[in-house]
Amino acid sequence: MDANPMPRGRIDFRLIIISAFISILYTLLISALFSVMQQDINGDMGQRMPKSLIERFCLAILLAPPLETLICQALPYAVVSIFRDRLQQWFQHVYIITAALFFAFGHTYSSGYVLAMYVPGIVLAYSYSRSKDQNRPAFVTTMLVHLLHNGIALLWNYYLTGV
């Protein structure tokens, strides 16, 4: 009997929800920690971010998830896959660390923000790798995790903090 209840090739919505939940929970906790330490985790992000909700929506929901999934998950997966035979059982670990670093260093608003984005990078890389291993649509799955994360963060920032 197959331990995986979902047929191969279909999107694993449970993975998407759990991954987004872990990612956003971590982000909220790390933001609270930086707030308690009276450190601005966002650095100069406020100067780089568009001011209107429509512009932020387009950037955070429409542009960032597919573009960053391509650059920070799909590309590192393809590169690390070249060495899959040599890496053997270490392949997934090397890929996740590499992809998480790509993701974190793609968010250079401040050194605190780079550190804060490393764990969400791990979550996104894990969702990509797990989906690939299960022959599911990894790009779409990871993009949806990222979209959900950004959507919750956008709502949180816009409606609760007024940013």
Side-chain angles (χ1 to χ4, degrees):
M1 182 170 184
D2 188 9
N4 189 354
M6 293 189 65
R8 292 187 178 279
R10 299 187 87 182
I11 295 173
D12 186 350
F13 288 102
R14 191 175 83 188
L15 175 64
I16 292 169
I17 291 168
I18 291 170
S19 295
F21 176 77
I22 290 168
S23 182
I24 200 71
L25 180 64
Y26 169 79
T27 303
L28 291 173
L29 290 172
I30 201 75
S31 294
L33 177 66
F34 271 83
S35 179
V36 166
M37 294 171 33
Q38 297 181 339
Q39 298 289 319
D40 183 15
I41 192 173
N42 296 322
D44 68 347
M45 182 175 16
Q47 292 135 0
R48 292 188 196 180
M49 287 295 290
K51 299 299 179 208
S52 81
L53 181 60
I54 300 287
E55 290 172 324
R56 286 182 180 205
F57 176 85
C58 288
L59 182 63
I61 304 299
L62 301 178
L63 183 63
L67 188 61
E68 290 180 358
T69 299
L70 178 66
I71 295 169
C72 301
Q73 283 85 41
L75 181 63
Y77 191 90
V79 170
V80 175
S81 289
I82 295 169
F83 305 101
R84 188 177 205 133
D85 290 340
R86 292 185 114 175
L87 294 169
Q88 296 173 6
Q89 74 269 16
W90 295 102
F91 167 77
Q92 187 174 25
H93 302 293
V94 170
Y95 161 68
I96 289 173
I97 291 167
T98 303
L101 287 170
F102 268 68
F103 187 78
F105 283 106
H107 295 84
T108 57
Y109 308 114
S110 72
S111 55
Y113 204 78
V114 170
L115 291 172
M117 289 297 103
Y118 186 70
V119 170
I122 289 171
V123 170
L124 291 169
Y126 175 79
S127 70
Y128 192 89
S129 180
R130 181 172 171 91
S131 296
K132 278 287 203 185
D133 288 347
Q134 295 178 344
N135 293 321
R136 295 177 192 232
F139 189 90
V140 172
T141 299
T142 306
M143 187 179 69
L144 289 173
V145 171
H146 195 162
L147 187 146
L148 192 55
H149 174 112
N150 284 3
I152 292 168
L154 182 68
L155 288 173
W156 178 271
N157 287 332
Y158 196 78
Y159 288 109
L160 297 178
T161 65
V163 176

